[in-house]
Amino acid sequence: MQAQIQEEHAYHTAPALSVRPLVTNGFEVKLPAQVEAVVRDLVDPSEVREERKRIGGYWFVHRMAGRLFYIRLKAGGPNVDGDSTIVRTADQPWLLRARLDDAIEEALPKYEAVRKRPFTFLAQKSELIADAADAAGITHRLLPGFRVTPKFALSPKIYEPIDGQTRIGIFVTIAMRYDIEADISELDAAGIDLTGMYVVRRQYQPGERRLLGRIRSIEKGVVYLFEESGPTEMPVSDVKLEGSKENFTRCLTKLLGYNYKKLTTALDDQEAMYRVGPRFDEAVKRMGEFLARKPIFLGLGLSATVGDRITLDNDGENRNVRVASTVEYVFDRTGAKSSEYAWPGLSQYGPYDRSNFAGRSPRILVAYPSSTAGKVEVFLRYFRDGMGANYPGFPKGFTDVFGLVKVDFVLCPIDIDISDRQTAAADYNKAIQDKLAESGDVQAGIIVLYDEHGRLPDGINPYIHTKSLLLTLGVPTQEVRLPTVIQELKSLQYTLENFAVSMYAKLNGTPWTVNHDKTINDELVVGMGVAELSGSRSDKRQRFVGITTVFSGDGTYLLGNVSRECAYESYPDAVRESMLQILRELKKRNNWQPGDTVRVVFHAHRPLKRVDVASIVFKCTREIGSEQDIQMAFVTISHEHPFMIFDRKQRGIAAYKGSDVMKGVFAPARGTITRIGRLTRLLAVNAPRLIKRPNTPLPAPLLISLHPDSTFRDVDYLAEQALKFTSLSWRSTLPAGTPVTVFYSERIAELLGRLRNVPDWSPAALNVKLKWSRWFL
């Protein structure tokens, strides 16, 4: 324990980079110091709904920790059973936070809720498609049937800027609502292929499912459905297309042709009026002014008022903002060869394991439609040999950058056309089997697909089927679609950077690791992935879980462990089995000795309901590390939260060389860590330099939450560690938006779930031949 204290002290007293106060998207809510409530025990949560109906609008009711709390809203009405008690807001802020969820809607009666919690509503005077069409000079008689409307959400949340000072804020977020009101018969008559598009009810009653299914055909005013959730046919007048971006793209591409790109560019500009840093900041300010006009009614004799914007800073003893040191990409075991950027470092030093990489003369199978042979061969030549000095993004090529002796391509042309959708998977598999029987072993595969084939369902998708076939043979694969192969050379050079990094990792190589000061005997970071999949959206979604990846504390990839595939119901056993297997193997591999200090950090994307994953992990760790001094941390890393942060002094950087148009304005520096609670931090992983366009929305931070039973409790250290793992993604030369401990394992879970749709698929090879491969990239 003393070693832990000394280490944490050294970490926190290290010189910090300059920081600036950050403004959030929230407003402090001034609440009553205490509330009179009636409280009784209630074990069964299913009784709450009936109780709410019984007491009507006379009481607010909320269940917490097996107890039911009542707050009187108005005099009269039904009586309630329980003990009268005084609830101090500072001690139990969750009660008034829950009441605010309802009260905000009541305070804004002119806005219809599209969602109750958090209260979400549409802007009343803004429709962006029409404005975008005007700006782009585009007209079409059916275009008014497509609508994009700003959508506001007001989320009451508890935060704690200082230990012991719990507060509640209302946080404002803005998204976009896509709707397609155009008549389906008119879209069909315009020549749009509506087959397979999802449709919803035009009008639906409470309790009805809005999603109806997918269009099979349209005949004489009737829509015939498959994957239906109810009727198999519906009158055209009763249904409309679901307002998904996929449906928007398919319809408007057909209606507008080349003008569609002009429209989407103009639409991005319109959305930016609400979502880029300064515009979003101004919209939040206006919403706060509106909410502050009058008190929010909470109950009989109770009200709340909306106050000042919540600002996080380092005023006095409050240290709420820090900026982590720059993550360095490392290209040798000593750490001497390092770079702030991945691809320049690779180009200068070569990969991390260049001196001992075994597969220096890989043979790579390339399967592609025979009609695309010329285009594919040019792509492969650029990939292997480079594009020359005129294209500085990829001048040298895969062979030179990664220090390989040679790369041989085993070409496998396939006689197939775009229209061969039902037979595409079988055609690819037969051609690959014949080629391998003729040509012998290969170490990896590149599967070139028509874009239309890449979007086919898993049951007939040629990439999923070829991936299954080749993984069974111990061969990892890389998909590339034809639009990528034939893109403009100025874009292709950067695509090839990412393609080369992924391919090297799939060949069991390690392109780079990240810097880390290792101060204990061993540190392991375990990632948990969960994927929710179904054969169709009308089916119950299945969860695939128990897939883990493990890294050491210095960022070196130690193990790609795949637990047995399991459904959600089997999840606790799968986690337990996986954790025990991983820890036993690593204890033996790393030669843990009695008395060694070992830290185990567990990353999860979100906590799972009714499953105490942290308890399972902690028990497994104690069991395997009974002779060691074990430090344990269970960390939830989430994108799903309402918190945003603005750096108003960040003026952005030029969108391109010589431009006076700026991108990333108000975006905090990458590595900015802000405290919003004792065990929670916001982590900025994007930055102006990484933002691609001036109209890109202000990037949202990650929410880092530490489980209260963790024995290692340095949340700032854990947030910085998560930042480093975003730089370990080998799918791209740029950092990922999520630490790869979670990103990789969710990718594994998703692919395993999809591969189940292939007959005779078995994941056995993943635990043997491909145990050390990054086959899932």
PDB file of all heavy atoms in Angstrom, residues 124-145:
ATOM      1  N   GLN A 124     -38.980  24.153 -33.277  1.00  0.00           N
ATOM      2  CA  GLN A 124     -40.282  24.385 -33.894  1.00  0.00           C
ATOM      3  C   GLN A 124     -40.215  25.162 -35.204  1.00  0.00           C
ATOM      4  O   GLN A 124     -41.127  25.115 -36.013  1.00  0.00           O
ATOM      5  CB  GLN A 124     -41.186  25.135 -32.900  1.00  0.00           C
ATOM      6  CG  GLN A 124     -41.548  24.296 -31.672  1.00  0.00           C
ATOM      7  CD  GLN A 124     -42.474  25.031 -30.729  1.00  0.00           C
ATOM      8  OE1 GLN A 124     -42.524  26.259 -30.708  1.00  0.00           O
ATOM      9  NE2 GLN A 124     -43.220  24.271 -29.926  1.00  0.00           N
ATOM     10  N   LYS A 125     -39.141  25.893 -35.432  1.00  0.00           N
ATOM     11  CA  LYS A 125     -39.086  26.764 -36.602  1.00  0.00           C
ATOM     12  C   LYS A 125     -37.897  26.488 -37.506  1.00  0.00           C
ATOM     13  O   LYS A 125     -37.554  27.314 -38.345  1.00  0.00           O
ATOM     14  CB  LYS A 125     -39.057  28.226 -36.144  1.00  0.00           C
ATOM     15  CG  LYS A 125     -40.285  28.648 -35.369  1.00  0.00           C
ATOM     16  CD  LYS A 125     -40.189  30.110 -34.932  1.00  0.00           C
ATOM     17  CE  LYS A 125     -41.411  30.531 -34.144  1.00  0.00           C
ATOM     18  NZ  LYS A 125     -41.334  31.965 -33.711  1.00  0.00           N
ATOM     19  N   SER A 126     -37.272  25.322 -37.339  1.00  0.00           N
ATOM     20  CA  SER A 126     -36.079  25.026 -38.134  1.00  0.00           C
ATOM     21  C   SER A 126     -36.261  23.700 -38.854  1.00  0.00           C
ATOM     22  O   SER A 126     -36.577  22.684 -38.224  1.00  0.00           O
ATOM     23  CB  SER A 126     -34.835  24.957 -37.235  1.00  0.00           C
ATOM     24  OG  SER A 126     -34.595  26.203 -36.609  1.00  0.00           O
ATOM     25  N   GLU A 127     -36.069  23.708 -40.171  1.00  0.00           N
ATOM     26  CA  GLU A 127     -36.042  22.491 -40.969  1.00  0.00           C
ATOM     27  C   GLU A 127     -34.884  22.659 -41.945  1.00  0.00           C
ATOM     28  O   GLU A 127     -34.868  23.589 -42.750  1.00  0.00           O
ATOM     29  CB  GLU A 127     -37.367  22.294 -41.697  1.00  0.00           C
ATOM     30  CG  GLU A 127     -37.555  20.885 -42.254  1.00  0.00           C
ATOM     31  CD  GLU A 127     -36.597  20.568 -43.384  1.00  0.00           C
ATOM     32  OE1 GLU A 127     -36.649  21.245 -44.423  1.00  0.00           O
ATOM     33  OE2 GLU A 127     -35.769  19.635 -43.215  1.00  0.00           O
ATOM     34  N   LEU A 128     -33.895  21.765 -41.872  1.00  0.00           N
ATOM     35  CA  LEU A 128     -32.615  22.047 -42.497  1.00  0.00           C
ATOM     36  C   LEU A 128     -32.515  21.595 -43.948  1.00  0.00           C
ATOM     37  O   LEU A 128     -31.705  22.135 -44.698  1.00  0.00           O
ATOM     38  CB  LEU A 128     -31.498  21.389 -41.673  1.00  0.00           C
ATOM     39  CG  LEU A 128     -31.452  21.791 -40.197  1.00  0.00           C
ATOM     40  CD1 LEU A 128     -30.211  21.217 -39.535  1.00  0.00           C
ATOM     41  CD2 LEU A 128     -31.504  23.304 -40.020  1.00  0.00           C
ATOM     42  N   ILE A 129     -33.294  20.607 -44.378  1.00  0.00           N
ATOM     43  CA  ILE A 129     -33.217  20.160 -45.773  1.00  0.00           C
ATOM     44  C   ILE A 129     -33.612  21.294 -46.723  1.00  0.00           C
ATOM     45  O   ILE A 129     -32.948  21.542 -47.746  1.00  0.00           O
ATOM     46  CB  ILE A 129     -34.104  18.924 -46.010  1.00  0.00           C
ATOM     47  CG1 ILE A 129     -33.443  17.676 -45.420  1.00  0.00           C
ATOM     48  CG2 ILE A 129     -34.354  18.712 -47.502  1.00  0.00           C
ATOM     49  CD1 ILE A 129     -32.326  17.093 -46.243  1.00  0.00           C
ATOM     50  N   ALA A 130     -34.680  21.999 -46.390  1.00  0.00           N
ATOM     51  CA  ALA A 130     -35.123  23.089 -47.255  1.00  0.00           C
ATOM     52  C   ALA A 130     -34.055  24.171 -47.355  1.00  0.00           C
ATOM     53  O   ALA A 130     -33.763  24.685 -48.447  1.00  0.00           O
ATOM     54  CB  ALA A 130     -36.435  23.678 -46.723  1.00  0.00           C
ATOM     55  N   ASP A 131     -33.445  24.510 -46.213  1.00  0.00           N
ATOM     56  CA  ASP A 131     -32.395  25.528 -46.220  1.00  0.00           C
ATOM     57  C   ASP A 131     -31.173  25.054 -47.003  1.00  0.00           C
ATOM     58  O   ASP A 131     -30.551  25.826 -47.740  1.00  0.00           O
ATOM     59  CB  ASP A 131     -31.989  25.875 -44.789  1.00  0.00           C
ATOM     60  CG  ASP A 131     -33.107  26.574 -44.023  1.00  0.00           C
ATOM     61  OD1 ASP A 131     -34.000  27.149 -44.677  1.00  0.00           O
ATOM     62  OD2 ASP A 131     -33.091  26.526 -42.777  1.00  0.00           O
ATOM     63  N   ALA A 132     -30.828  23.775 -46.846  1.00  0.00           N
ATOM     64  CA  ALA A 132     -29.676  23.229 -47.565  1.00  0.00           C
ATOM     65  C   ALA A 132     -29.936  23.214 -49.071  1.00  0.00           C
ATOM     66  O   ALA A 132     -29.050  23.538 -49.871  1.00  0.00           O
ATOM     67  CB  ALA A 132     -29.354  21.820 -47.063  1.00  0.00           C
ATOM     68  N   ALA A 133     -31.145  22.834 -49.457  1.00  0.00           N
ATOM     69  CA  ALA A 133     -31.491  22.803 -50.885  1.00  0.00           C
ATOM     70  C   ALA A 133     -31.429  24.204 -51.487  1.00  0.00           C
ATOM     71  O   ALA A 133     -30.939  24.389 -52.606  1.00  0.00           O
ATOM     72  CB  ALA A 133     -32.877  22.194 -51.073  1.00  0.00           C
ATOM     73  N   ASP A 134     -31.919  25.198 -50.744  1.00  0.00           N
ATOM     74  CA  ASP A 134     -31.843  26.575 -51.231  1.00  0.00           C
ATOM     75  C   ASP A 134     -30.384  27.008 -51.393  1.00  0.00           C
ATOM     76  O   ASP A 134     -30.015  27.629 -52.409  1.00  0.00           O
ATOM     77  CB  ASP A 134     -32.554  27.522 -50.263  1.00  0.00           C
ATOM     78  CG  ASP A 134     -34.065  27.393 -50.329  1.00  0.00           C
ATOM     79  OD1 ASP A 134     -34.566  26.816 -51.317  1.00  0.00           O
ATOM     80  OD2 ASP A 134     -34.740  27.852 -49.389  1.00  0.00           O
ATOM     81  N   ALA A 135     -29.559  26.684 -50.408  1.00  0.00           N
ATOM     82  CA  ALA A 135     -28.153  27.081 -50.461  1.00  0.00           C
ATOM     83  C   ALA A 135     -27.429  26.413 -51.622  1.00  0.00           C
ATOM     84  O   ALA A 135     -26.533  27.008 -52.235  1.00  0.00           O
ATOM     85  CB  ALA A 135     -27.465  26.738 -49.146  1.00  0.00           C
ATOM     86  N   ALA A 136     -27.812  25.165 -51.933  1.00  0.00           N
ATOM     87  CA  ALA A 136     -27.144  24.422 -53.012  1.00  0.00           C
ATOM     88  C   ALA A 136     -27.798  24.654 -54.371  1.00  0.00           C
ATOM     89  O   ALA A 136     -27.295  24.163 -55.386  1.00  0.00           O
ATOM     90  CB  ALA A 136     -27.140  22.929 -52.682  1.00  0.00           C
ATOM     91  N   GLY A 137     -28.927  25.370 -54.405  1.00  0.00           N
ATOM     92  CA  GLY A 137     -29.621  25.612 -55.667  1.00  0.00           C
ATOM     93  C   GLY A 137     -30.248  24.361 -56.245  1.00  0.00           C
ATOM     94  O   GLY A 137     -30.270  24.155 -57.466  1.00  0.00           O
ATOM     95  N   ILE A 138     -30.798  23.507 -55.386  1.00  0.00           N
ATOM     96  CA  ILE A 138     -31.357  22.220 -55.817  1.00  0.00           C
ATOM     97  C   ILE A 138     -32.863  22.226 -55.579  1.00  0.00           C
ATOM     98  O   ILE A 138     -33.340  22.653 -54.517  1.00  0.00           O
ATOM     99  CB  ILE A 138     -30.706  21.057 -55.034  1.00  0.00           C
ATOM    100  CG1 ILE A 138     -29.216  20.966 -55.362  1.00  0.00           C
ATOM    101  CG2 ILE A 138     -31.395  19.730 -55.342  1.00  0.00           C
ATOM    102  CD1 ILE A 138     -28.473  19.996 -54.471  1.00  0.00           C
ATOM    103  N   THR A 139     -33.603  21.729 -56.546  1.00  0.00           N
ATOM    104  CA  THR A 139     -35.050  21.571 -56.378  1.00  0.00           C
ATOM    105  C   THR A 139     -35.472  20.189 -56.879  1.00  0.00           C
ATOM    106  O   THR A 139     -34.856  19.625 -57.781  1.00  0.00           O
ATOM    107  CB  THR A 139     -35.834  22.639 -57.173  1.00  0.00           C
ATOM    108  OG1 THR A 139     -35.499  22.518 -58.568  1.00  0.00           O
ATOM    109  CG2 THR A 139     -35.498  24.034 -56.673  1.00  0.00           C
ATOM    110  N   HIS A 140     -36.502  19.651 -56.270  1.00  0.00           N
ATOM    111  CA  HIS A 140     -37.148  18.421 -56.723  1.00  0.00           C
ATOM    112  C   HIS A 140     -38.506  18.364 -56.044  1.00  0.00           C
ATOM    113  O   HIS A 140     -38.638  18.690 -54.858  1.00  0.00           O
ATOM    114  CB  HIS A 140     -36.322  17.185 -56.356  1.00  0.00           C
ATOM    115  CG  HIS A 140     -36.792  15.941 -57.048  1.00  0.00           C
ATOM    116  ND1 HIS A 140     -37.922  15.261 -56.675  1.00  0.00           N
ATOM    117  CD2 HIS A 140     -36.276  15.259 -58.111  1.00  0.00           C
ATOM    118  CE1 HIS A 140     -38.101  14.214 -57.466  1.00  0.00           C
ATOM    119  NE2 HIS A 140     -37.105  14.187 -58.345  1.00  0.00           N
ATOM    120  N   ARG A 141     -39.517  17.940 -56.773  1.00  0.00           N
ATOM    121  CA  ARG A 141     -40.879  17.989 -56.242  1.00  0.00           C
ATOM    122  C   ARG A 141     -41.055  17.106 -54.999  1.00  0.00           C
ATOM    123  O   ARG A 141     -41.950  17.364 -54.176  1.00  0.00           O
ATOM    124  CB  ARG A 141     -41.881  17.581 -57.321  1.00  0.00           C
ATOM    125  CG  ARG A 141     -41.750  16.151 -57.792  1.00  0.00           C
ATOM    126  CD  ARG A 141     -42.767  15.812 -58.882  1.00  0.00           C
ATOM    127  NE  ARG A 141     -42.701  14.418 -59.267  1.00  0.00           N
ATOM    128  CZ  ARG A 141     -43.326  13.441 -58.607  1.00  0.00           C
ATOM    129  NH1 ARG A 141     -44.085  13.741 -57.559  1.00  0.00           N
ATOM    130  NH2 ARG A 141     -43.214  12.189 -59.005  1.00  0.00           N
ATOM    131  N   LEU A 142     -40.234  16.050 -54.851  1.00  0.00           N
ATOM    132  CA  LEU A 142     -40.367  15.162 -53.690  1.00  0.00           C
ATOM    133  C   LEU A 142     -39.466  15.560 -52.524  1.00  0.00           C
ATOM    134  O   LEU A 142     -39.587  14.989 -51.440  1.00  0.00           O
ATOM    135  CB  LEU A 142     -40.054  13.715 -54.098  1.00  0.00           C
ATOM    136  CG  LEU A 142     -41.031  13.067 -55.080  1.00  0.00           C
ATOM    137  CD1 LEU A 142     -40.586  11.657 -55.432  1.00  0.00           C
ATOM    138  CD2 LEU A 142     -42.445  13.037 -54.496  1.00  0.00           C
ATOM    139  N   LEU A 143     -38.580  16.518 -52.730  1.00  0.00           N
ATOM    140  CA  LEU A 143     -37.618  16.872 -51.683  1.00  0.00           C
ATOM    141  C   LEU A 143     -38.293  17.404 -50.415  1.00  0.00           C
ATOM    142  O   LEU A 143     -37.803  17.121 -49.302  1.00  0.00           O
ATOM    143  CB  LEU A 143     -36.619  17.891 -52.227  1.00  0.00           C
ATOM    144  CG  LEU A 143     -35.330  18.082 -51.426  1.00  0.00           C
ATOM    145  CD1 LEU A 143     -34.613  16.756 -51.203  1.00  0.00           C
ATOM    146  CD2 LEU A 143     -34.402  19.066 -52.146  1.00  0.00           C
ATOM    147  N   PRO A 144     -39.423  18.151 -50.494  1.00  0.00           N
ATOM    148  CA  PRO A 144     -40.066  18.594 -49.252  1.00  0.00           C
ATOM    149  C   PRO A 144     -40.514  17.456 -48.337  1.00  0.00           C
ATOM    150  O   PRO A 144     -40.794  17.680 -47.157  1.00  0.00           O
ATOM    151  CB  PRO A 144     -41.273  19.410 -49.754  1.00  0.00           C
ATOM    152  CG  PRO A 144     -40.853  19.899 -51.107  1.00  0.00           C
ATOM    153  CD  PRO A 144     -40.053  18.769 -51.689  1.00  0.00           C
ATOM    154  N   GLY A 145     -40.590  16.234 -48.874  1.00  0.00           N
ATOM    155  CA  GLY A 145     -40.956  15.086 -48.041  1.00  0.00           C
ATOM    156  C   GLY A 145     -39.825  14.547 -47.200  1.00  0.00           C
ATOM    157  O   GLY A 145     -40.019  13.599 -46.429  1.00  0.00           O
TER     158      GLY A 145
END
